[in-house]
Structures are given as structure tokens and as C-alpha cells.
Amino acid sequence: MTDLHTDRLLLRRWQESDLEPWAAMNADPEVRQHLGEPLTRERSDESVARFEAAFDRRGYGWWAVEVRGTGEFVGFAGLDDIDYEAPFTGVEIGWRLARSAWGHGYATEAARAVLAFGFDTLELPEILAVTTATNLRSQAVMTRLGMTRDPAGDFDDLDAPEGPLRPNVLFRLARPATS
């Protein structure tokens, strides 16, 4: 499995040492604001097991993100198959960072590396991004990445409770043409 490197970040497979800070992120109501209820430690650990199984099965998924200068785990970024009820199919990009990592440009930096992998290595024709309509920070990252909002793909996440987590927006980015 390929690690991805940026100037400041390493995107790599998950390690045992990631479980504690990952659980702390998943228990943080601010980190989970656009995702739903905080997760228990057990559910958080189970998510890492699913991430690793997906990597083994298909060769991509959610990379753990660490700061290269310090080795600090700060979250995840990666690609996942859309396997939930939505008016579209494809592969989506995503990221989630600890609050201490917000505001440093890490989400955009990690996502650029993930996009390059998706287009150059996997040769995906398009990469999608989905978030709640109220998650303006993630939408700003999507815009910085050159993604375009596709209102025709917006949908209500019927697995989410009534309220701000239900309306979701779709962004798209086509694979750049090669010359």
C-alpha cells in the first residue's frame, strides 16, 4: 500500500498508536458536529478495523494523517466507495481532523495528495465529495480543491435524524485531461 507524502503530512496505514487519538476525535462533539453523535471507543476502534479491511480488499481507503515534523496523528483523509443511499454513485473523497489541526491547511493539503492518487494511480474518471449543507468549512475545502457544487445531486440523508444533518450537498471533480 502506498503512503502519500506532502510537504508537511504523511498519509499512511493505521497503527495501534492511532486508536487513542482517533477515539478522542470521535468523542469530541465539535469534530462530530456534522457527522452525528460522538462514538464510543468500541465503535471508533471498529471503524479503524473497517478502514484497514477496505485497504486490503481494494487498495485504497482512509489513510491516517500525521504531521511529518512531529509524527503527531491528526486525523484521516482518503477515498471511499459510495455505498449509501444517494442519487449518484462513485468514489468520494473525505477528511476529518482533530480540532488542534484545524486552521493549518492540513485538510486541503491531504486532500490534494488523495486526489492525485485517485486520478493518477487509480485513474478514476471523477471524484465526488459529500457533506452536510451546514458544513461550510468542508465546502470551502472542496472549493479550494477545484471541485464544483452539483445541486442536482443534493439529497437528504435518511439515516440522519431530522435536522441539520439530513440535507447533504454534492461536489464533483473530473479527472484532468492529460496532454
Side-chain angles (χ1 to χ4, degrees):
M1 177 58 225
T2 305
D3 289 343
L4 305 180
H5 301 264
T6 72
D7 288 343
R8 301 180 299 161
L9 303 173
L10 170 63
L11 285 70
R12 57 162 173 75
R13 294 289 293 263
W14 292 76
Q15 302 170 355
E16 185 74 25
S17 60
D18 300 329
L19 295 178
E20 184 64 37
W22 175 245
M25 279 179 56
N26 285 317
D28 183 334
E30 272 193 77
V31 171
R32 300 281 310 169
Q33 177 182 4
H34 301 285
L35 301 166
E37 293 294 318
L39 299 183
T40 64
R41 173 63 190 257
E42 180 182 15
R43 288 191 60 212
S44 182
D45 289 354
E46 288 170 356
S47 69
V48 171
R50 283 192 312 276
F51 301 160
E52 284 296 292
F55 261 118
D56 291 341
R57 187 175 61 254
R58 62 182 183 216
Y60 64 90
W62 301 115
W63 283 271
V65 176
E66 75 174 48
V67 178
R68 289 176 67 178
T70 65
E72 176 189 8
F73 170 88
V74 294
F76 84 179
L79 298 167
D80 198 17
D81 297 334
I82 294 174
D83 61 0
Y84 49 84
E85 189 74 28
F88 48 82
T89 59
V91 175
E92 78 174 302
I93 188 171
W95 48 83
R96 186 179 322 157
L97 299 176
R99 270 191 291 150
S100 63
W102 293 359
H104 299 281
Y106 292 154
T108 303
E109 187 173 332
R112 283 191 175 121
V114 170
L115 285 172
F117 178 83
F119 289 135
D120 299 341
T121 302
L122 300 178
E123 299 182 349
L124 296 171
E126 178 181 60
I127 297 176
L128 309 175
V130 175
T131 191
T132 59
T134 57
N135 190 346
L136 301 181
R137 290 173 65 113
S138 277
Q139 291 179 52
V141 172
M142 294 167 191
T143 300
R144 278 194 294 280
L145 295 171
M147 301 187 93
T148 303
R149 171 90 185 274
D150 179 4
D154 292 355
F155 68 103
D156 283 345
D157 179 356
L158 300 179
D159 290 333
E162 285 286 345
L165 299 182
R166 190 162 274 192
N168 278 247
V169 297
L170 173 66
F171 281 71
R172 296 177 179 272
L173 183 63
R175 181 176 172 196
T178 56
S179 48

